[in-house]
Amino acid sequence: DTAIFQCVATEISLPLSGTDPDGNFDHCEIISGPGSIVGGNWVFTPSVNQNAKVKIMCLDDCGASCTDSFNVAITINKAPVVDMGDDFVAFLCQPEQICWPVSVTDVNNNITSVELITGNGFYDEANHRVCFDVPSGERTYQFILKATDNCGAEDYDTVQVTINYNTAPSLVLPPNFVAYLDEPGE
């Protein structure tokens, strides 16, 4: 039994052989399971993750046989998944740093890098978030986060962050309004 990890689905070739104490070995054949026998090798090209269970029968010239089986756990790499969340509006009183949670996952646990490739900020790996120091002025900023695994598979996600700043309230009085202020101590 063996386990095989592939970055992309490619042909698997595992050696197999049979012997005969009388010296009249003929051949081996697959009784059940995927693949074929080519040149003394079990050959199979997977298309999905699977546990291939293969049963082999070997025969001699007299028709006597023996059987054996093996399992091959095949895992084909899947790209990482980046999720920066939905676009959002941040309402601020003054310029400050804002951060929001992001998710970077990989079913194969083989991520090699996560980087913010667009946007004036940084990826905080320890806290699974993106942060940036908001400058003054209202506008929309775009951020793109990229994850890469050790097979070179990549995923990207984009978020738009719109910054709105607080506006001071204003007082509107009727045109003929006269205000009288009390003096302190009166």
Side-chain angles (χ1 to χ4, degrees):
D1 293 346
T2 189
I4 296 175
F5 176 82
Q6 297 183 322
C7 287
V8 293
T10 56
E11 182 178 270
I12 298 168
S13 181
L14 300 175
L16 63 87
S17 63
T19 60
D20 186 82
D22 301 320
N24 65 342
F25 176 79
D26 187 37
H27 74 282
C28 293
E29 58 189 59
I30 296 174
I31 299 173
S32 63
S36 57
I37 298 175
V38 178
N41 292 305
W42 173 74
V43 179
F44 177 66
T45 302
S47 60
V48 296
N49 291 350
Q50 68 187 95
N51 186 17
K53 296 179 181 192
V54 183
K55 188 171 184 179
I56 305 289
M57 178 173 62
C58 294
L59 298 118
D60 68 12
D61 288 336
C62 295
S65 66
C66 65
T67 60
D68 201 354
S69 62
F70 60 91
N71 296 310
V72 181
I74 303 165
T75 304
I76 300 170
N77 187 62
K78 292 191 182 287
V81 176
V82 177
D83 183 358
M84 293 187 72
D86 296 331
D87 296 348
F88 65 94
V89 175
F91 180 79
L92 304 175
C93 294
Q94 61 191 16
E96 63 183 71
Q97 184 179 79
I98 64 168
C99 300
W100 64 95
V102 297
S103 170
V104 181
T105 58
D106 189 314
V107 297
N108 305 113
N109 294 317
N110 63 345
I111 292 176
T112 56
S113 69
V114 179
E115 59 185 318
L116 188 65
I117 61 171
T118 300
N120 188 18
F122 63 93
Y123 173 62
D124 177 1
E125 183 175 3
N127 296 303
H128 309 288
R129 62 188 187 166
V130 169
C131 298
F132 87 109
D133 293 324
V134 181
S136 60
E138 296 184 336
R139 68 176 262 213
T140 298
Y141 298 88
Q142 177 174 287
F143 298 88
I144 300 175
L145 192 64
K146 171 186 167 186
T148 306
D149 70 16
N150 69 0
C151 288
E154 303 171 336
D155 190 40
Y156 301 81
D157 196 22
T158 302
V159 69
Q160 303 275 340
V161 179
T162 301
I163 302 300
N164 289 334
Y165 283 100
N166 183 53
T167 303
S170 60
L171 179 62
V172 178
L173 299 174
N176 296 337
F177 184 80
V178 177
Y180 297 97
L181 299 175
D182 291 333
E183 293 293 324
E186 287 186 25

